[in-house]
Amino acid sequence: MRLFLPGCLALLCLAMAPPTRADTGADEAVAFFESRIRPVLVEHCYRCHSSQAKSPRGGLRVDSRDAMLKGGDSGPVLVPGKPDNSLILKALSHDGEVSEMPPDEKLSAQVLADFRRWIASGAPDPRREGSSGEKPAGGAVPSERDFWAFQPPRRVEAAPARGMSWARDEIDRFILSGLDAKGLRPAPDADRYTWLRRVCLDLVGLPPSPEQIAAFRDDPSPQAKERVVDRLLASPAFGACWGRHWLDLTGYADQIGTANDIFAEHAWRYRDYVIASWNADKPFDRFIREQIAGDLLPSNSVEERAANLVATGFLVLGDLTIVEADKAKLRVDVVDQQVDKVGKAFLGLSIGCARCHDHKFDPISLRDYYAMAGIFSSTESVTRAEWGVWSWPTVARLPETPAGRAERQGRLERHRQAIAKLKAEREQAGRRLAEIRAMLQGQGPGRAPIEPTARAGLERERRELAARVGRLGTEIEHGEFFAPNPPVAFAVHDSARPGNMRVTIRGNPHALGVEVPRGFVQVVSRGRSGPAVISSQESGRRELADWIASGENPLTARVAVNRIWQKLFGEGIVRSVDYFGRRGERPSHPELLDALALRFVADGWSTKRLIRGLVLSRAYAMSSAHDRRAAAIDPDNRLLWRMNRRRLDAESLRDAMLAVSGGLIVGGGGPGLPLEYPENTGGLGKGGVNPPSFRLARFRPEQEFVRTVYLPIIRSGPQAGPGELRNVFDFTQPGEFAGQRAVTTVPTQALFLMNARFLKARAVELARPTLAGAGDDRARLGRLWIRVLNRPITPAEQDAAAAFLAEVRDLDPTIAPAARGLRAWAELCHALLASNEFLLRL
């Protein structure tokens, strides 16, 4: 029973070591070019001297290194290492020796110094010939399409391997084939207790209960595992677990922006939509279409229409800078965030890198970026608010069913009555307060002097009434603000005048370049004949969603199945799960990845069916035990010779502690922020220069016990109250997009596990029923091990735990025996909850 403590400091230091001097120098040189040289060329030179120009002036192009070395009518304009011999520097200097560039202005001394430094350093330039910021309409050249991620998935049979009887299906055959090629064998199967704990934590984020463990242990049927998996997939807890994984890719929070504590009152609807979608096994291609273009899709019911609108919250629930006074800048920044989010979440591409110039590494051009950006610039996502320079995410009123409308109107009537009662009470208290004030000022009946003892009583009553009137005013203001109005959600809609977007030079919305027709990333648009056809009456989001969600898109299904694989096996087949570009990692089992992608599409994009197949594979059932020989050949376990161990994520860790201690509230949903408490809100009155705000001064009592996914998520600081554990165990900050969370081992985690009030409370809650249970200490220990570690206790552990209990009981004989017993069991329970075995999924 070792506590979870930091270890392997030397390895940690090695992993954090800086790159070699040579690598660092090369990276810095390219970074200098990208930040100081390329933007100047794009802004001042490309219009006349690039492939964008029909006939580059003077035969000179400066949109690639090769073109500059070749030069134009006057010869090469760049001599690496020799600034004084480079015609481009003479042209920029306006020294009269050559034609001046740019002709209408001389650039600053700092720009000239930057170019001199760049040329003197050898003129490093990652731009390739044919991949300038202004690619021809034809898009990517054929060699760029040859990269594996841009090729359509292909079905290939796994190569024959020894011991193929081990395999249950094609997943296992590909794994076994890869191992056999290196002379490796798969690890033995994990025991039934380990497998059950593993699949429960992976599918629903909760450990199995003692009753579930007994049922599986006593089921001899060959279908026992299938029954467990089907039960877990049908559980509402499945959506709470896997919906949280998706929220990591959206920047979801219950706060708008980070500059101020502004509540995102309706954000929870998107969170609940995501959880419901995973529980319903909504086809993933439909899931994509709804989030990009739900407002443009047909619907068959009021509920479906409402869900479609809520789904588009994906595009606006990010870290918006809503106090930006420059509205043009805000608009293009929001568009940039949307392009980046869609690219990473669905395609595994960093399209946002092409905002100011061609992508440095991938065949994504400036034109590709603005083709997609035009779609989102034709979409209304933010609107000017009524408070000063503030802006606000756009909202949509949701349709209601007749039953829903009747229920809301009933609540509204009760609310009006309650407000009227509060106002009457305030009026009565105000009249009495006025009477007392008049009496204290000698203006009472008969204006008779007031005795000192009667004055003290009146003063006390005046203070109490004044405070009461203030409280009633706050309650009335709060109640009127949060009246049961028709439901709304953060959502987007098409602009009144959709159209193409112009290039914003260096990202500056006030320095505009050429207009780019709306469309998609060309290198991924295999099989399309000609440019995308987008109606002039719509944004193009519907066409974009169809392109992404198409089974012919080579990236979408691969990215999705790779993320699901990573959640179940600890590492993706492509370990850079959010990036499938050239600088990302290559797949360890490319044929398996393609087979899973093709199966995913053929099975109607069913995530549950895919997950079911993965967790019932022999590969998933392997032990995580170490093998010295295999580790020497494949130290990173890229070939999957054993199951990867991993620590529980923050949500599963907190939820598991609540589950084993008996306090977890399984259901959930609805608003995360407890805005129903007036002390949690501010600025609700009309006419303020700032929008209403929140502070988390008070939580609902039940929030101590709900699943972590339903707790409020804050951008501007650490997660507060019941969710504070997230601050320590690598919770993805809501300003980031992360398909795979970082996993750190730091001292604060051990300190939290030893000292946090949350753990101490859970340990006592676990100890009480354990101590009160039937039988002697050894029987209680057996039940405790099953409940917490989900396996039987060993004889050695039973002896050590019994000795520990006796030792703690004898520490202070002055305490009553019952209290000493509870303390001993609570200490033991605390140790188990902080142990490696509880913190890890083996």
Short mmCIF file of all heavy atoms in Angstrom, two decimals, residues 433-445 447-450 455 458-459 462:
data_model
loop_
_atom_site.label_atom_id
_atom_site.label_comp_id
_atom_site.label_asym_id
_atom_site.label_seq_id
_atom_site.Cartn_x
_atom_site.Cartn_y
_atom_site.Cartn_z
N LEU A 433 -40.04 51.29 8.44
CA LEU A 433 -38.73 51.92 8.55
C LEU A 433 -38.87 53.44 8.53
O LEU A 433 -38.23 54.15 9.31
CB LEU A 433 -37.81 51.45 7.43
CG LEU A 433 -36.39 52.01 7.41
CD1 LEU A 433 -35.63 51.64 8.69
CD2 LEU A 433 -35.63 51.50 6.18
N ALA A 434 -39.76 53.94 7.64
CA ALA A 434 -39.98 55.39 7.57
C ALA A 434 -40.59 55.90 8.88
O ALA A 434 -40.22 56.98 9.36
CB ALA A 434 -40.89 55.72 6.39
N GLU A 435 -41.52 55.13 9.47
CA GLU A 435 -42.12 55.53 10.75
C GLU A 435 -41.06 55.63 11.84
O GLU A 435 -41.02 56.59 12.62
CB GLU A 435 -43.19 54.52 11.17
CG GLU A 435 -44.44 54.51 10.29
CD GLU A 435 -45.40 53.39 10.69
OE1 GLU A 435 -45.07 52.68 11.67
OE2 GLU A 435 -46.43 53.23 10.02
N ILE A 436 -40.21 54.67 11.92
CA ILE A 436 -39.17 54.65 12.96
C ILE A 436 -38.21 55.81 12.78
O ILE A 436 -37.83 56.49 13.74
CB ILE A 436 -38.44 53.30 12.95
CG1 ILE A 436 -39.38 52.19 13.40
CG2 ILE A 436 -37.19 53.34 13.83
CD1 ILE A 436 -38.81 50.81 13.29
N ARG A 437 -37.83 56.07 11.54
CA ARG A 437 -36.92 57.20 11.29
C ARG A 437 -37.56 58.51 11.71
O ARG A 437 -36.89 59.38 12.30
CB ARG A 437 -36.53 57.24 9.82
CG ARG A 437 -35.52 56.16 9.43
CD ARG A 437 -35.32 56.10 7.94
NE ARG A 437 -34.25 55.16 7.58
CZ ARG A 437 -34.04 54.70 6.35
NH1 ARG A 437 -34.86 55.10 5.35
NH2 ARG A 437 -33.06 53.86 6.11
N ALA A 438 -38.86 58.64 11.41
CA ALA A 438 -39.56 59.87 11.81
C ALA A 438 -39.62 59.99 13.32
O ALA A 438 -39.42 61.08 13.88
CB ALA A 438 -40.96 59.88 11.20
N MET A 439 -39.90 58.90 13.99
CA MET A 439 -39.96 58.92 15.46
C MET A 439 -38.61 59.29 16.06
O MET A 439 -38.52 60.06 17.02
CB MET A 439 -40.40 57.54 15.97
CG MET A 439 -41.85 57.20 15.62
SD MET A 439 -42.26 55.48 15.96
CE MET A 439 -42.09 55.46 17.75
N LEU A 440 -37.54 58.74 15.49
CA LEU A 440 -36.21 59.05 16.03
C LEU A 440 -35.82 60.50 15.79
O LEU A 440 -34.97 61.04 16.49
CB LEU A 440 -35.18 58.12 15.38
CG LEU A 440 -35.27 56.64 15.79
CD1 LEU A 440 -34.32 55.79 14.96
CD2 LEU A 440 -34.94 56.48 17.27
N GLN A 441 -36.44 61.12 14.78
CA GLN A 441 -36.17 62.53 14.50
C GLN A 441 -37.16 63.46 15.19
O GLN A 441 -37.20 64.65 14.92
CB GLN A 441 -36.22 62.77 12.98
CG GLN A 441 -35.11 62.05 12.22
CD GLN A 441 -35.31 62.12 10.72
OE1 GLN A 441 -36.23 62.79 10.25
NE2 GLN A 441 -34.45 61.43 9.98
N GLY A 442 -37.97 62.87 16.13
CA GLY A 442 -38.93 63.70 16.87
C GLY A 442 -40.16 64.05 16.09
O GLY A 442 -40.83 65.04 16.40
N GLN A 443 -40.50 63.26 15.10
CA GLN A 443 -41.64 63.56 14.26
C GLN A 443 -42.77 62.56 14.45
O GLN A 443 -43.66 62.46 13.63
CB GLN A 443 -41.21 63.58 12.79
CG GLN A 443 -40.15 64.65 12.49
CD GLN A 443 -39.64 64.57 11.07
OE1 GLN A 443 -40.14 63.78 10.31
NE2 GLN A 443 -38.67 65.42 10.74
N GLY A 444 -42.74 61.84 15.57
CA GLY A 444 -43.76 60.85 15.82
C GLY A 444 -45.05 61.48 16.29
O GLY A 444 -45.16 62.71 16.42
N PRO A 445 -46.09 60.64 16.60
CA PRO A 445 -47.39 61.15 17.09
C PRO A 445 -47.20 61.98 18.35
O PRO A 445 -46.59 61.52 19.32
CB PRO A 445 -48.19 59.87 17.37
CG PRO A 445 -47.52 58.83 16.51
CD PRO A 445 -46.08 59.19 16.47
N ARG A 447 -45.25 64.16 18.92
CA ARG A 447 -43.86 64.61 18.99
C ARG A 447 -43.34 64.62 20.43
O ARG A 447 -42.60 65.50 20.85
CB ARG A 447 -43.70 66.00 18.38
CG ARG A 447 -44.08 66.04 16.91
CD ARG A 447 -43.71 67.33 16.24
NE ARG A 447 -44.06 67.29 14.83
CZ ARG A 447 -43.82 68.30 13.99
NH1 ARG A 447 -43.24 69.41 14.42
NH2 ARG A 447 -44.15 68.19 12.72
N ALA A 448 -43.77 63.64 21.20
CA ALA A 448 -43.31 63.55 22.59
C ALA A 448 -41.89 63.01 22.61
O ALA A 448 -41.49 62.23 21.75
CB ALA A 448 -44.23 62.62 23.38
N PRO A 449 -41.07 63.41 23.59
CA PRO A 449 -39.71 62.91 23.70
C PRO A 449 -39.71 61.39 23.87
O PRO A 449 -40.60 60.83 24.52
CB PRO A 449 -39.15 63.60 24.94
CG PRO A 449 -40.07 64.74 25.20
CD PRO A 449 -41.40 64.38 24.66
N ILE A 450 -38.70 60.73 23.34
CA ILE A 450 -38.59 59.28 23.42
C ILE A 450 -37.62 58.93 24.53
O ILE A 450 -36.51 59.48 24.62
CB ILE A 450 -38.11 58.68 22.09
CG1 ILE A 450 -39.07 59.06 20.96
CG2 ILE A 450 -37.95 57.16 22.18
CD1 ILE A 450 -38.61 58.64 19.59
N ARG A 455 -35.59 54.41 22.68
CA ARG A 455 -34.75 54.81 21.54
C ARG A 455 -33.80 53.68 21.14
O ARG A 455 -33.61 53.42 19.94
CB ARG A 455 -33.95 56.07 21.91
CG ARG A 455 -32.94 56.49 20.82
CD ARG A 455 -32.33 57.83 21.11
NE ARG A 455 -33.30 58.89 20.91
CZ ARG A 455 -33.57 59.45 19.72
NH1 ARG A 455 -32.96 59.02 18.64
NH2 ARG A 455 -34.45 60.42 19.62
N LEU A 458 -35.72 51.18 19.20
CA LEU A 458 -36.05 51.66 17.85
C LEU A 458 -34.83 51.66 16.93
O LEU A 458 -34.93 51.36 15.75
CB LEU A 458 -36.64 53.07 17.95
CG LEU A 458 -38.05 53.18 18.54
CD1 LEU A 458 -38.43 54.64 18.75
CD2 LEU A 458 -39.06 52.49 17.63
N GLU A 459 -33.68 52.03 17.52
CA GLU A 459 -32.45 52.02 16.71
C GLU A 459 -32.14 50.60 16.22
O GLU A 459 -31.77 50.38 15.07
CB GLU A 459 -31.27 52.54 17.52
CG GLU A 459 -31.26 54.05 17.74
CD GLU A 459 -30.84 54.81 16.49
OE1 GLU A 459 -30.60 54.17 15.44
OE2 GLU A 459 -30.77 56.05 16.55
N ARG A 462 -34.56 49.74 13.56
CA ARG A 462 -34.24 50.47 12.32
C ARG A 462 -33.12 49.75 11.55
O ARG A 462 -33.21 49.57 10.32
CB ARG A 462 -33.82 51.90 12.65
CG ARG A 462 -33.47 52.74 11.40
CD ARG A 462 -32.84 54.06 11.78
NE ARG A 462 -31.59 53.87 12.50
CZ ARG A 462 -30.42 53.58 11.91
NH1 ARG A 462 -30.37 53.42 10.60
NH2 ARG A 462 -29.33 53.43 12.62
#
